[in-house]
Amino acid sequence: MLKSILPAAGCLLAAGIVSVAILSACSKDGGADTQSITITEGGQSSWAIAYDKLEGNAGEFLEAFASYTGCTPLSYLEGSQQNAKEILVGKTSRQETKEVLNGIAHGFKIAFHGDKLVIAGTDDTWTAIALYEFERKVLKSAEYLDGGNLKIPADYSLSESHDDPQTIARLLNHGHTEFAFTTEKVMTCAGEGAVKVAQGAASDGTHVYFVLRNSGDTEAMVFKYDMDGQQVAKSEVFNGGHCNDMTLNTKTSTLYVAHGSAAPKVLTPLAADNLSIGTDVSISVGTGAISYNASRNCYAISQGGNNLVLCDADFKKVQSYSRTDDTGYTAQGMGTDDYFVYFPMSSKSNTDNILVVYDWYGTYVATLKVDLPLESESMFYAGGNYYVNFHSGGANLYRITPVLAYTYDS
């Protein structure tokens, strides 16, 4: 079973950029075509920079452009004026921007459209990625910028498009490990009676499932909600121990609740459709955190914040890694996307939280801060969004959205 999980990681990483193209003009005889568009020459330019927002990415890009080229062109908010030749930065209202971005679901594109050079993403974060790529592959390249002369092939094109955003993973795959999160509370599950301590959560993108327990770790229930935050079902009471975490196998429509420290090798299965409780499952791996990944058809498991274990669809251990991070934060559950494994961890004073990120080969990647003063419990990726479940008077589910800003490091 090792071959069924780990090589998939390499394939997925290779396919992480669904559509990337860098095109240079070629003459009919196969030699290099010298046709190019001159943006700056001798510290001068007839081009202007028009941007979609006054704040954020544009100001930093203006500074970078001037520093690299030695030219400070005319610049303005795109709705205020217009120039014959423009670099359009961000998701402007200009038709050229719209046409260049046409067909890109989640991503960016850098390309000429007539007398416009469009550098734009489908949102501000993707525009920031585009600007970083433009700086790295154009402004820093002697092929295009030489002695203050910026000349770019007329058919230059660099683009990236994804149907499934997985934005945290995209940022990490681009080498960005420092970015912020916006947080939005999307629903609350208060529990029932004494069963009101939030633990694991899972989703298939259509419904969200919460497991809550009582303070004595003797009673637990799973609650099913639609994505609008309305409860649609609940399970009978069962003993799930501490209910440290929960995941959903979307192929079998089965939820698994990890009992935690009292019975670390026991999982309670529930049918996702009606929340009927199945017979406890014994596995060979100690489990305090668990996440099923459908694209790999495997489980990622951890206990005590010390390890990362990969199991196949039958819970047979395939690979085990030791975690190398030492954050001082409290280990909680876990979540995954197609590229990385995420460990939400809460500060001991509940002032903030972090996501500790590993790849599927057990390599530490980054520690990301989630600035919420609540105790995180688990997380999942579903329906194009990342969610973290927090305990505070029941389960409180937050959508966390990564936000990258372009900054010029002079």
Side-chain angles (χ1 to χ4, degrees):
M1 293 304 296
L2 180 61
K3 293 182 179 180
S4 68
I5 296 176
L6 294 184
C11 294
L12 283 166
L13 287 171
I17 299 178
V18 172
S19 175
V20 176
I22 304 176
L23 305 176
S24 297
C26 293
S27 63
K28 292 181 180 179
D29 63 4
D33 189 338
T34 58
Q35 182 181 1
S36 62
I37 295 175
T38 299
I39 307 294
T40 68
E41 188 170 19
Q44 302 296 319
S45 180
S46 60
W47 288 67
I49 298 177
Y51 44 86
D52 64 336
K53 291 183 174 70
L54 285 170
E55 71 283 352
N57 295 320
E60 292 285 319
F61 178 69
L62 293 173
E63 182 181 349
F65 188 90
S67 177
Y68 282 107
T69 66
C71 172
T72 303
L74 176 68
S75 61
Y76 44 80
L77 186 64
E78 51 108 0
S80 64
Q81 57 182 299
Q82 192 163 349
N83 193 60
K85 298 179 179 181
E86 294 176 316
I87 300 174
L88 301 179
V89 176
K91 199 173 182 180
T92 75
S93 61
R94 302 286 175 80
Q95 188 63 29
E96 292 87 352
T97 301
K98 294 178 181 179
E99 292 183 12
V100 165
L101 287 178
N102 184 42
I104 296 180
H106 304 277
F108 73 88
K109 190 167 185 178
I110 302 169
F112 285 100
H113 191 291
D115 287 330
K116 313 295 181 184
L117 172 59
V118 177
I119 308 174
T122 50
D123 59 25
D124 288 349
T125 290
W126 277 111
T127 292
I129 293 174
L131 291 171
Y132 276 115
E133 292 299 294
F134 185 80
E135 179 185 358
R136 182 169 68 90
K137 295 180 179 177
V138 177
L139 295 179
K140 288 184 176 181
S141 172
E143 181 180 358
Y144 306 121
L145 180 59
D146 181 21
N149 301 323
L150 179 60
K151 298 181 180 182
I152 305 172
D155 62 353
Y156 181 92
S157 181
L158 177 64
S159 66
E160 181 172 333
S161 181
H162 307 277
D163 292 331
D164 186 1
Q166 298 191 83
T167 314
I168 297 178
R170 310 300 178 194
L171 289 170
L172 295 172
N173 282 335
H174 273 281
H176 299 293
T177 58
E178 294 185 9
F179 47 86
F181 288 97
T182 61
T183 57
E184 178 187 5
K185 186 176 178 179
V186 294
M187 67 181 76
T188 296
C189 173
E192 186 174 293
V195 179
K196 57 185 179 181
V197 181
Q199 294 292 160
S203 177
D204 55 8
T206 302
H207 293 95
V208 179
Y209 305 85
F210 300 95
V211 60
L212 288 87
R213 59 172 175 82
N214 66 354
S215 59
D217 289 1
T218 58
E219 296 182 345
M221 296 176 67
V222 172
F223 299 85
K224 182 177 182 178
Y225 282 69
D226 64 24
M227 297 307 289
D228 293 323
Q230 298 299 312
Q231 182 178 311
V232 296
K234 62 182 180 180
S235 75
E236 298 294 329
V237 175
F238 64 98
N239 188 340
H242 196 68
C243 301
N244 280 71
D245 204 6
M246 178 174 65
T247 194
L248 171 62
N249 183 320
T250 53
K251 292 186 183 297
T252 63
S253 296
T254 305
L255 295 155
Y256 289 97
V257 176
H259 284 220
S261 56
K265 296 182 179 181
V266 175
L267 305 175
T268 294
L270 296 92
D273 57 350
N274 60 12
L275 301 185
S276 60
I277 303 166
T279 303
D280 283 351
V281 176
S282 295
I283 63 175
S284 62
V285 178
T287 308
I290 185 170
S291 179
Y292 173 77
N293 184 269
S295 68
R296 298 165 185 274
N297 194 27
C298 75
Y299 296 90
I301 291 174
S302 184
Q303 185 177 23
N306 298 316
N307 60 356
L308 168 59
V309 180
L310 303 183
C311 293
D312 66 16
D314 297 316
F315 294 106
K316 294 178 181 178
K317 184 168 71 172
V318 173
Q319 187 60 269
S320 180
Y321 306 100
S322 295
R323 283 177 56 178
T324 58
D325 60 285
D326 184 15
T327 64
Y329 282 59
T330 301
Q332 302 289 354
M334 66 193 301
T336 61
D337 58 25
D338 292 345
Y339 304 93
F340 299 102
V341 178
Y342 304 89
F343 295 97
M345 302 181 72
S346 58
S347 62
K348 299 188 185 303
S349 56
N350 288 339
T351 55
D352 63 0
N353 292 265
I354 57 175
L355 297 180
V356 178
V357 187
Y358 281 76
D359 66 20
W360 286 88
Y361 292 95
T363 303
Y364 168 78
V365 176
T367 296
L368 310 173
K369 184 175 180 180
V370 180
D371 196 13
L372 271 177
L374 299 170
E375 181 185 1
S376 59
E377 298 296 341
S378 189
M379 75 165 290
F380 57 83
Y381 176 80
N385 294 292
Y386 295 89
Y387 298 87
V388 177
N389 190 36
F390 295 89
H391 170 66
S392 180
N396 293 270
L397 189 69
Y398 280 76
R399 180 187 300 114
I400 62 168
T401 304
V403 179
L404 177 71
Y406 172 77
T407 57
Y408 170 55
D409 185 4
S410 57

